[in-house]
Amino acid sequence: MLENLKEFLSFSNINVLYVTLGTILIGASSSIVGCFAVLRKRALIGDVIAHSVLPGICLAFMLFDTKNPLVLLAGAFITGWLSIVAVDFIVRNSRIKSDAAIGLVLSVFFGVGMLLLTSIQHSGNASQSGLDRFIFGKAASLIGEDLIVLGVMSIVLLVSIFLFFKPFMFVSFDREYAESIGMPVKLYEFLLSSLTVLAVTVGIQAVGVILMSAMLITPAVAARFWTDSLSKMMVIAAVLSAFCCLVGAYVSYTAPSMPTGPWIVVVMMFLALLCVFFAPHKGMLTKRLKQRSNFRQILEENLLKLMYQLDERDGVLGDQHDFKELISKRDMGETQMKNALSRLQKKGLVKAKVIKAYPFS
């Protein structure tokens, strides 16, 4: 296994280099854009775009009779953008909510795409082979030409995010404030939506339309559990995504029958779950432990306060207190009371002799 890892990391096989670099470029750039989608509470929009690019790919192939990546991606970008416009139009001009509009547009566009793909497959066109990789993804088939396209698109995404970082941040966190200070909010929303479409469009070559939404959103969700800073969130999301892409490429390298794209998403989901449960400060388990610690502290402080109040009532500090009386005054279970008293004893705040009818060990 160690030998396989060394051989993989040496990238002596040019195909391995193409696959690894290509998926890392896709994952890192799309996860950065996905941070804005998560913060704008538009995580499902990636799903709509991912399913809506298929008719654009098919139409571009039918019109230009070529599998040139730029031509196909241009067609995908157009229909992906139209899907966002359709969702916004339905929500704005009808009583249909956004989730229903997303489901409607997603199913219609994907259904049309499948019809067009089936028509192409039965047309007898010899050059149509390989179009189905846009549905399921085929990262292992990335070549140098694909890598150049992915590199250019990733640079466009990263440069755009860098140039418009502050406006995008305002639009994502507080749209009303951005409008109040005179920012062209609709323009920045248009640019941000376009970048989201571009990110999804670029990524479908590796993981396909089915899994691209997970690649867009999952690293951003995982990163959100680690920080409240948007810039740090973007860096963490990009690093997590790049790591998952590296692991997915390695699994596919060691087991050629294993597809790269699905493995990337599986590793992403595993890391996301780890972040959800174990991330410091925001992880579910961490929060649970903190709540438990706070509850214990409050219980102990209230118990000490009760004992002091009883001492004041009796006029004798350090007087003995009846265990049953303490329970009746604080309305807590016997086991809970015993545990609290034991913790106070270990901290040196309560001596065993001040409690009657409760034998400290």
Side-chain angles (χ1 to χ4, degrees), residues 45-294:
I45 206 67
D47 221 8
V48 176
I49 299 168
H51 285 78
S52 301
V53 297
L54 185 58
I57 293 169
C58 295
L59 287 172
F61 176 79
M62 294 170 72
L63 291 174
F64 298 99
D65 195 23
T66 179
K67 289 191 294 184
N68 185 297
L70 286 176
V71 175
L72 297 181
L73 292 180
F77 181 86
I78 293 171
T79 53
W81 174 250
L82 287 176
S83 68
I84 295 181
V85 174
V87 170
D88 290 339
F89 179 81
I90 291 172
V91 173
R92 189 170 55 251
N93 296 280
S94 71
R95 300 179 66 181
I96 298 176
K97 301 297 182 182
S98 60
D99 56 344
I102 286 172
L104 179 64
V105 173
L106 181 153
S107 57
V108 170
F109 271 76
F110 191 65
V112 171
M114 290 301 296
L115 286 175
L116 293 174
L117 184 61
T118 303
S119 175
I120 292 172
Q121 290 174 339
H122 289 84
S123 65
N125 191 329
S127 61
Q128 57 87 23
S129 62
L131 284 180
D132 58 343
R133 75 173 183 171
F134 289 99
I135 301 178
F136 305 107
K138 192 69 174 177
S141 68
L142 293 177
I143 58 176
E145 184 181 0
D146 296 325
L147 194 61
I148 293 173
V149 173
L150 294 175
V152 171
M153 295 296 184
S154 298
I155 291 172
V156 170
L157 288 172
L158 296 176
V159 170
S160 300
I161 294 294
F162 177 77
L163 292 176
F164 299 101
F165 177 77
K166 279 193 174 181
F168 288 165
M169 182 174 62
F170 278 116
V171 170
S172 300
F173 281 103
D174 198 335
R175 188 181 189 277
E176 290 74 18
Y177 175 73
E179 286 180 334
S180 69
I181 61 176
M183 290 180 62
V185 172
K186 290 186 178 180
L187 173 62
Y188 290 126
E189 285 185 334
F190 170 81
L191 289 174
L192 199 49
S193 297
S194 298
L195 292 178
T196 306
V197 175
L198 183 61
V200 173
T201 302
V202 170
I204 56 176
Q205 293 185 85
V207 297
V209 300
I210 308 298
L211 299 176
M212 187 54 215
S213 57
M215 204 166 184
L216 182 77
I217 299 301
T218 307
V221 172
R224 186 69 182 90
F225 281 87
W226 289 88
T227 181
D228 289 323
S229 168
L230 177 56
S231 56
K232 291 180 181 178
M233 177 182 173
M234 293 164 63
V235 172
I236 293 172
V239 171
L240 287 176
S241 184
F243 173 75
C244 294
C245 291
L246 187 66
V247 174
Y250 173 69
V251 171
S252 182
Y253 174 76
T254 54
S257 60
M258 294 290 183
T260 307
W263 264 104
I264 292 173
V265 175
V266 167
V267 176
M268 280 184 179
M269 290 302 301
F270 179 72
L271 283 182
L273 288 175
L274 288 179
C275 293
V276 168
F277 285 100
F278 301 108
H281 307 302
K282 292 188 176 183
M284 291 176 62
L285 183 60
T286 306
K287 281 187 174 181
R288 178 63 178 169
L289 292 175
K290 188 175 181 180
Q291 289 173 353
R292 185 180 178 185
S293 176
N294 290 339

Side-chain angles (χ1 to χ4, degrees), residues 16-27:
V16 173
L17 180 63
Y18 287 156
V19 171
T20 306
L21 286 181
T23 52
I24 287 176
L25 286 171
I26 293 169

Side-chain angles (χ1 to χ4, degrees), residues 6-18:
K6 288 181 179 179
E7 187 178 349
F8 171 76
L9 293 177
S10 69
F11 299 116
S12 55
N13 187 329
I14 192 65
N15 185 56
V16 173
L17 180 63
Y18 287 156

